[in-house]
């Protein structure tokens, strides 16, 4: 099952400029900055209540974010749902014939594990699923 909306991901061309805009919007700076090498992105996270906004900038021309911006420009890239068990959720979604993007179960920010569902399965919006390590 899906626990909550973990964050909304926004593809940006220039992370410093995007952080400045969201700092102005939120009235304070980002809560977390990280480079996620396996996804070829740098991210800035702004906590907003129980959820977050994730600004994503490509670190390589073949990054999924670079490709997205080439095709569609800057803007909303994905919505992320937190799940308790990524394996179980993916198995259920496979049965539901969702289009899971290859490489599911990869490493995300903060030691999490993530998977992505193709936008064509979900009305034009990419969905990310995240499972956080239990502490
Ligand atoms: Zn994300």
């Amino acid at each position: 099952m899906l626990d909550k909306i973990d964050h909304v991901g926004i593809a940006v061309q220039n992370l410093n400029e995007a952080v400045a805009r969201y700092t102005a919007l939120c009235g304070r700076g980002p809560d977390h900055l990280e480079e996620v090498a396996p996804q070829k992105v740098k991210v800035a996270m702004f906590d907003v209540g129980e959820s977050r906004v994730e600004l994503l900038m490509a670190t390589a021309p073949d990054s999924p974010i670079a490709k997205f911006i080439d095709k569609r420009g800057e803007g909303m890239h994905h919505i992320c749902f937190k799940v308790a068990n990524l394996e179980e959720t993916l198995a259920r979604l496979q049965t539901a014939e969702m289009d899971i993007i290859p490489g599911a179960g990869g490493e995300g920010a903060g030691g999490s594990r993530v998977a992505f569902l193709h936008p064509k399965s979900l009305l034009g919006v990419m969905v990310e699923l995240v499972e956080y390590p239990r502490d």
Side-chain angles (χ1 to χ4, degrees), residues 13 61 63-74:
Q13 200 92 255
S63 161
I65 294 300
K67 289 181 195 159
F68 176 88
I69 289 177
D70 283 348
K71 248 168 69 184
R72 296 171 64 168
E74 290 183 295

Side-chain angles (χ1 to χ4, degrees), residues 7 54 78 80 128:
H7 64 266
E54 175 183 58
H78 64 268
C80 178
E128 177 182 10

Side-chain angles (χ1 to χ4, degrees), residues 2 5 14-15 21-22 24 53 59 64 69 84 86 92-93 95 97 119:
L2 307 180
I5 294 177
N14 180 315
L15 193 61
R21 300 266 185 115
Y22 269 81
V53 172
T59 56
I69 289 177
L86 188 61
R92 180 174 65 77
L93 294 174
T95 311
E97 292 182 0

